[in-house]
Amino acid sequence: IVDSVRVWNPKLKIALYSGRPEVEEWVWETFDYVKVGPYLPEKGPLDNPNTNQRLYKINHKTNEKIDITNLFWRKYYDKNNG
């Protein structure tokens, strides 16, 4: 499916949200964004700074996995302090 989407729209970014703590190497090579980690109520969702979940942006040129989870935390602070 991912290959078909890339042919249809090569500029479209594709993400995989996985509840698993780890994913296979092909997942990192295939998707532009990968979310890993199960939802644990005591840790909260991605927008909670205490979360065990992580969202990575993949740089396919360097094979770097950039943790962008903290970009969701402002929503948490706005929601709980506003």
Side-chain angles (χ1 to χ4, degrees):
I1 294 176
V2 173
D3 291 335
S4 297
V5 170
R6 290 207 191 279
V7 168
W8 174 71
N9 188 344
K11 294 183 179 182
L12 186 67
K13 301 297 182 188
I14 304 173
L16 176 72
Y17 272 48
S18 171
R20 297 176 14 205
E22 296 180 15
V23 293
E24 292 81 0
E25 190 60 34
W26 70 265
V27 171
W28 300 109
E29 296 167 356
T30 304
F31 294 90
D32 301 300
Y33 296 89
V34 178
K35 195 280 293 177
V36 293
Y39 173 72
L40 301 175
E42 66 274 12
K43 297 284 187 180
L46 275 176
D47 70 352
N48 187 324
N50 299 312
T51 189
N52 62 299
Q53 300 176 321
R54 290 288 176 260
L55 180 63
Y56 294 94
K57 179 179 180 178
I58 312 305
N59 181 328
H60 292 290
K61 292 180 182 176
T62 64
N63 292 323
E64 183 180 10
K65 300 167 189 165
I66 305 161
D67 187 342
I68 61 169
T69 310
N70 65 314
L71 298 179
F72 289 85
W73 296 347
R74 179 171 179 174
K75 293 178 186 176
Y76 175 84
Y77 288 119
D78 290 347
K79 180 172 55 178
N80 291 296
N81 294 318

